[in-house]
Amino acid sequence: MNVAHIKILHIDSNHPLLWEQLQKAGFHNEADFTSSKQEVEAKIENYHGIVIRSRFKIDKTFLDKAINLQFIARVGAGLESIDCDYATAKGIHLIAAPEGNANAVGEHAIGMLLSLFNNLNKANNEVKSGQWKREANRGHELEGKTVGIIGYGNMGKSFAKKLRGFDVTVLCHDILPNMGNENATQVSLSELQERADVLSLHTPWTPETDKMINFDFINKFKNPFWFINTARGNSVVTADLVDSLKSGKILGAGLDVLEYEKLSFETLFEGEKPPAFEYLLNAENVLLTPHIAGWTFESHEKLAQVIVDKICKIYQ
């Protein structure tokens, strides 16, 4: 199909190969990284495709003005910044690239887990400040533990694959049936809560997962457990997480995402810090990173390539 008439608006910067390969395939690219949502809405009728990350929400108002839009491509794993139901009803193709940063997320989750188990971050800070505390930093081994994964799509599968060789039991739970594979056995949520020593979250942010990790959910676990979240911050009630850390129900937490993040994922909140966040900042058994689990040099390129391939496939 001749795609020369297909005009694509890029509203976020991405790896240059995305632009270059689309141009080579014959598409017409235009960029606007600075205009407001309202300014983009005023001209979106001129475009057939839009490439975004998370600069602003693609809502009904935007979609009603995008009368010629054929696809929305988000260079990332999720589509929560888009009114997906309304876009789909208008016949617009929705494209994401969870395959592009799944490996990065899996590796990051492993890194957080090993750091928590062995006090790596805490011990590093102590030694650099002149303290030599061996007994206080005695660690735990992964071997023999049971790791529970909630959400067994691209990210969950990547994490489970990385766990091979650690001699752990890996359980997964997903809303879809028959998702387990050679790296994880699919079980009910209640069985996972009965058996897990570690919980790693790999779910998208949906109405079902919003505030899912709350006091009641946490206390259904039979054993105290370590918690890793490289998914979405809004799936966790931070105040309940903090209470569980204080009580010892959660032994430690590795959090790459926080409920306080703005939709763009580029900044936290403005103003006074909530007490729960203050606790996380000072807790020795909490490891925080700024939403970078899928943010590697390699995934930057992989994400772009996945998006190019999926756009081209629409017009084959």
Side-chain angles (χ1 to χ4, degrees):
M1 178 180 179
N2 184 1
V3 298
H5 71 287
I6 301 296
K7 295 178 64 177
I8 302 174
L9 180 63
H10 300 248
I11 65 170
D12 288 292
S13 61
N14 288 292
H15 193 283
L17 79 76
L18 197 156
W19 181 286
E20 293 164 2
Q21 290 193 19
L22 287 175
Q23 182 173 285
K24 186 177 180 180
F27 294 93
H28 178 78
N29 292 311
E30 293 185 16
D32 187 343
F33 301 156
T34 58
S35 292
S36 67
K37 178 174 179 286
Q38 290 72 27
E39 289 170 332
V40 174
E41 284 175 351
K43 64 179 181 179
I44 194 60
E45 66 179 26
N46 299 317
Y47 297 94
H48 306 97
I50 186 168
V51 177
I52 66 170
R53 286 207 318 267
S54 301
R55 187 149 67 89
F56 53 70
K57 186 172 177 59
I58 307 297
D59 55 17
K60 288 184 178 181
T61 300
F62 186 97
L63 292 167
D64 281 338
K65 295 179 182 296
I67 57 176
N68 293 304
L69 203 61
Q70 297 175 11
F71 72 83
I72 303 170
R74 179 169 182 267
V75 187
L79 294 168
E80 64 265 38
S81 60
I82 302 167
D83 189 328
C84 295
D85 291 340
Y86 198 60
T88 301
K90 286 180 168 289
I92 298 170
H93 292 275
L94 298 177
I95 300 170
E99 310 93 328
N101 60 358
N103 184 72
V105 170
E107 290 189 3
H108 193 94
I110 286 287
M112 285 191 134
L113 188 56
L114 292 175
S115 181
L116 287 171
F117 267 48
N118 296 284
N119 302 305
L120 299 184
N121 194 55
K122 172 177 174 288
N124 171 70
N125 291 336
E126 288 174 357
V127 173
K128 287 185 175 180
S129 66
Q131 302 176 68
W132 192 260
K133 298 181 178 181
R134 296 187 68 221
E135 185 57 37
N137 287 298
R138 189 184 290 272
H140 299 268
E141 296 179 20
L142 265 175
E143 183 180 31
K145 303 295 191 297
T146 296
V147 179
I149 298 171
I150 297 182
Y152 205 60
N154 289 280
M155 310 300 174
K157 284 183 168 68
S158 174
F159 179 55
K161 183 179 179 181
K162 304 295 181 292
L163 288 167
R164 294 181 67 170
F166 282 100
D167 293 324
V168 295
T169 298
V170 183
L171 308 176
C172 67
H173 175 73
D174 198 278
I175 59 172
L176 298 177
N178 305 315
M179 292 294 286
N181 59 8
E182 68 277 11
N183 298 322
T185 301
Q186 186 163 356
V187 298
S188 66
L189 180 58
S190 59
E191 182 174 349
L192 186 147
Q193 290 171 317
E194 175 76 14
R195 297 173 58 188
D197 302 301
V198 173
L199 172 63
S200 189
L201 196 62
H202 297 279
T203 51
W205 183 39
T206 67
E208 291 73 30
T209 64
D210 186 59
K211 298 178 174 58
M212 177 177 71
I213 310 299
N214 57 25
F215 185 80
D216 290 338
F217 183 95
I218 292 167
N219 281 283
K220 287 179 181 176
F221 279 76
K222 179 181 178 181
N223 304 315
F225 63 96
W226 285 266
F227 177 59
I228 304 293
N229 187 12
T230 55
R232 289 292 184 262
N234 282 310
S235 294
V236 179
V237 179
T238 309
D240 291 357
L241 171 67
V242 165
D243 285 343
S244 299
L245 285 162
K246 289 178 178 178
S247 72
K249 184 66 178 182
I250 293 181
L251 301 169
L255 308 174
D256 181 55
V257 289
L258 295 165
E259 69 169 303
Y260 312 115
E261 290 178 77
K262 293 186 177 179
L263 182 63
S264 68
F265 306 140
E266 296 298 328
T267 57
L268 280 169
F269 50 84
E270 296 175 356
E272 188 176 350
K273 297 182 181 69
F277 185 47
E278 288 280 9
Y279 179 88
L280 295 179
L281 291 175
N282 294 294
E284 292 184 334
N285 60 341
V286 174
L287 190 61
L288 302 173
T289 53
H291 205 135
I292 56 169
W295 201 252
T296 64
F297 290 101
E298 292 84 358
S299 70
H300 188 42
E301 183 172 347
K302 291 176 186 176
L303 286 166
Q305 188 63 63
V306 170
I307 293 296
V308 169
D309 293 344
K310 289 185 177 182
I311 291 173
C312 289
K313 189 174 182 180
I314 293 174
Y315 297 98
Q316 285 179 346

